Amino acid sequence: MDTNSTKRISERVIGCAYTVGNELGPGFLERVYEKALCVEMIRNGLEVERQKQLNVTYKGEVVGKYFADILVENCLLLEVKAVARLSPEHKAQVINYLKATDLTVSLLINFGTPRTEIKRIVWRHDDSKVI
């Protein structure tokens, strides 16, 4: 997958997020938005895995695991929130997820505000590589 393909995936996901946010509005629990976003992305032809278990490794050893809210096309991590305001801790959480995996790009999506908020978070991303 080339950089343009990945950019198109991100753009498609962002479009799906805005559709969900516009349809549902703020006020629901995160898991409602997570499920709705998966429905919207699948309807738009994207491969998604919800609550995908990812291993955290240290020097080649698995030292823990976490569950990504949504993994899209095996290359884009989505963290879904439904809060009044994103905090530095939310961004740090996503950066830690990226550090712990081979993934380099994530979208932090907040449905808790009147207008859906989306932050692109990058960790050691190389545009010449897949993502």
Side-chain angles (χ1 to χ4, degrees), residues 32-50:
V32 171
Y33 295 109
E34 185 181 309
K35 289 178 184 178
L37 184 55
C38 285
V39 168
E40 189 65 30
M41 289 187 295
I42 290 168
R43 288 183 178 198
N44 279 274
L46 291 166
E47 177 188 324
V48 301
E49 293 181 73
R50 195 169 158 259

Side-chain angles (χ1 to χ4, degrees), residues 67-111:
F67 295 87
D69 285 345
I70 304 170
L71 185 61
V72 181
E73 298 286 332
N74 253 352
C75 68
L76 179 63
L77 178 81
L78 305 184
E79 181 65 24
V80 176
K81 299 293 182 192
V83 295
R85 172 182 283 162
L86 290 173
S87 70
E89 290 82 8
H90 295 129
K91 182 177 178 181
Q93 174 189 15
V94 173
I95 289 171
N96 285 337
Y97 289 172
L98 293 174
K99 283 182 190 178
T101 66
D102 290 332
L103 302 173
T104 62
V105 179
S106 179
L107 296 177
L108 176 58
I109 304 172
N110 183 23
F111 291 103

Side-chain angles (χ1 to χ4, degrees), residues 1-11 127 129 131:
M1 183 181 305
D2 61 25
T3 303
N4 287 332
S5 296
T6 302
K7 183 177 178 186
R8 284 189 296 251
I9 290 169
S10 294
E11 289 170 353
D127 282 334
K129 294 183 180 177
I131 261 300

